[in-house]
Amino acid sequence: MIVDLISSAAVNAVTKIFGVKVPPAQLVVQRTIPAFRNQGDYSLVVFPLLKISRKSPEETARLIGDEMLRILPQVESFGVVKGYLNLRIAKSFWEAFVEENFSDAVFGLSPVQSGDPVVVEYSSPNTNKPLHLGHIRNNLLGYSVAELLKASGKNVKKVNLVNDRGIHICKSMLAWKLSGKNETPESTGKKGDKLVGDYYVLFDKLYKSELQALKASGKTDDEAAGASTLMLQAREMLLKWEARDEETLSLWQTMNGWVYEGFDVTYRRLGVDFDKIYYESQTYLLGKEIVEEGLQKGLLFRKEDNSVWIDLAAEGLDEKLLLRSDGTSVYMTQDLGTAQLRANDFAPESLVYVVGNEQNYHFDVLKLILQKLGRPWADHIYHLSYGMVELPEGKMKSREGTVVDADDLMDGMIATARTMTEELGKIADLDSAEAMELYRMVGLGALKYFILKVDPKKNMLFNPAESIDFNGNTGPFIQYTYARIKSVLRKAVLDLNDSKVQLVSDIHPKESDLILSLYEFPATVKQAAADYSPSIMANYLFELAREYNTFYHELSILKEEDPAKRSLRLNISRLTSSVIKNGMALLGIEVPERM
RNA sequence: GGUCCGGUAGCUCAGUUGGAUAGAGCAGCAGCCUUCUAAGCUGCGGGUCAGGCGUUCGAAUCGCCUCCGGAUCACCA
């Protein structure tokens, strides 16, 4: 990297001039701000060196600049503003960069390594609840982070953990049994996950009216809850399930099967996938074994009522329950089992959990328990904690019907993309299948970009009343830029073989801005992966597209007379297109050849 | 109350390990299609970076305090 070259050359220069070897960390090299781009491309901040040089900032910068010019052939000239040494990188360096990479279809992407895998868990749905906007954020983040890690050279395994058992699942089963009239996805035409979700809601409704009736007959809240026959039946059903009762298991399998079919449809549309799917019904028993192990090691303790706990007061946390008094497992028990299973399955380098920030405490505890149990891999558990998606009136609540359904939202985005595209009327010659494909790409591109451009750890706002934009800092803007480049490239087939880039004249500022940005793509991939932050990639791509558009507007490409310039611009265009395509793919966003 | 995370333009958001005059988009106003795709480009207006104190040559960024918002502290998941 040129930044590293500059940095180490500066260290040598300082050593030579002032006789002091400074740590490279003290030297800040950054892209020159637009106001001084006439002086250089990268800037060295010399303020930290004043104590050593004991000269004015300008004088210090000049001395270092002179020496840099001598020892670093990539530096062509320099300028000084206050304590900033602005270095102009030689034209030949950029020419060589473009020439080397313009046709590299995987520029900036590292080949996947075969080392120990990074296991990324995301999605993790509850089979009672159809996917909503919050899940969309989770899925997009998880998918994108996994792709970014791959692109930075990691061996990545994407896994999903399905929350398929427990009292809540019994509730929807019970409601269906009591008043389902044998409805199926086929008989109703409903998506399986929606059908089951409806029964979950129905249970809640029936339960509430039962409570109402009990309270009307003079019972207190607690008494009513205790007397509820519905809740009693749900508990009985859970016991039957744990006892492997055939009829219960069969209903459970049938209804979960409907849900999985429904989820698959949504996952496919979202474009996310998994290498392995775990089910809590298959991990909770292992969790119980781990609790047993903890008891034997004296790490956990049993209360008089038979419940099992861990005391984390020394770590500043509370006592935490690991097994109920009736011996059944809780959330934490299952997650212990799941983590162990994953460690057994993959011998992973690290375990990444994409889970909302409401569970920060849970993951602190999970990691701590596993560490105390002596699992060395527990040190490499990382909770990628992301913020909630809020509506103008606050958090989404399934109970209050304020959730934004994932399928509905995607339908809406695609419909808007269609309206918009038809109004613009540029693709009248596409057949209907191609057109539908374009609407899908653009609609989903807008949605995905809207979500991924925000820093994961921050809460974000979604206002259903204002539709997601298609202009400005949006997915479609970047897709449009791609389609625009491809249009130029289609018309330039012959010129593209001309791969030699040798300019007689200077590089235009718009060209060098763009090249500079392209040059930074590989580092951006690494940065985004290291920070688990797709938003870094999203914002980079927006800047790149914006720079391309100003470049496109100010300079002609195909009509440029000078063949060397034409060739350079075409090659820059081609490289920009592949960076956009590859970068967007890391966000799970497709780009159209035309739009 | 304890712990954690936020607070940047009217709105939605960027802002790398502290670096130059804090940036985009939307909304508003004014321009640009007989010329490679106008989902674009150019310009204008818009800021006490919640507030205060401190560290530093230099603070939106680091530390302390205060205010505001959110999450969490369940024999729910």
Side-chain angles (χ1 to χ4, degrees), chain A residues 3 13 34 94-95 119 131 179 202 242 279 326 373 423 425 452 494 541 576 593:
Chain A
V3 172
W94 301 121
E95 286 169 350
V119 178
L131 274 20
S179 48
L202 178 64
E242 296 215 353
Y279 299 89
D326 65 2
L373 282 166
E423 274 172 16
L452 290 176
L494 296 176
L541 291 170
T576 305
E593 298 299 304

Side-chain angles (χ1 to χ4, degrees), chain A residues 158-162 264 267 274-279 282:
Chain A
K158 302 179 209 172
V159 302
N160 192 355
L161 172 64
V162 181
D264 277 347
Y267 283 146
F274 305 97
D275 295 302
K276 178 155 185 161
I277 298 180
Y278 290 89
Y279 299 89
Q282 296 167 356

Side-chain angles (χ1 to χ4, degrees), chain A residues 426-438:
Chain A
K426 293 190 212 169
I427 55 145
D429 58 313
L430 291 191
D431 66 39
S432 75
E434 289 169 326
M436 293 305 290
E437 183 62 5
L438 177 63

Side-chain angles (χ1 to χ4, degrees), chain A residues 110-122:
Chain A
S110 306
V112 173
Q113 292 172 353
S114 55
D116 291 342
V118 175
V119 178
V120 179
E121 175 193 306
Y122 70 103

Side-chain angles (χ1 to χ4, degrees), chain A residues 140 413 441-454 460 468-469 471-479 534-543 545 583-584 587-589:
Chain A
L140 298 181
M413 292 304 299
M441 268 190 210
V442 174
L444 286 178
L447 174 62
K448 291 180 177 185
Y449 186 88
F450 174 80
I451 288 171
L452 290 176
K453 77 172 174 181
V454 181
M460 61 178 291
I468 292 174
D469 256 305
N471 298 314
N473 186 356
T474 66
F477 169 84
I478 299 168
Q479 291 172 317
S535 73
I536 290 174
M537 180 53 61
N539 287 298
Y540 165 82
L541 291 170
F542 171 65
E543 283 304 321
M584 290 289 261
L587 301 176
I589 302 176

Side-chain angles (χ1 to χ4, degrees), chain A residues 37-53:
Chain A
R37 280 306 309 283
N38 59 333
Q39 287 199 351
D41 302 307
Y42 287 96
S43 303
L44 176 75
V45 186
V46 302
F47 289 111
L49 302 169
L50 299 184
K51 277 185 197 139
I52 296 167
S53 73

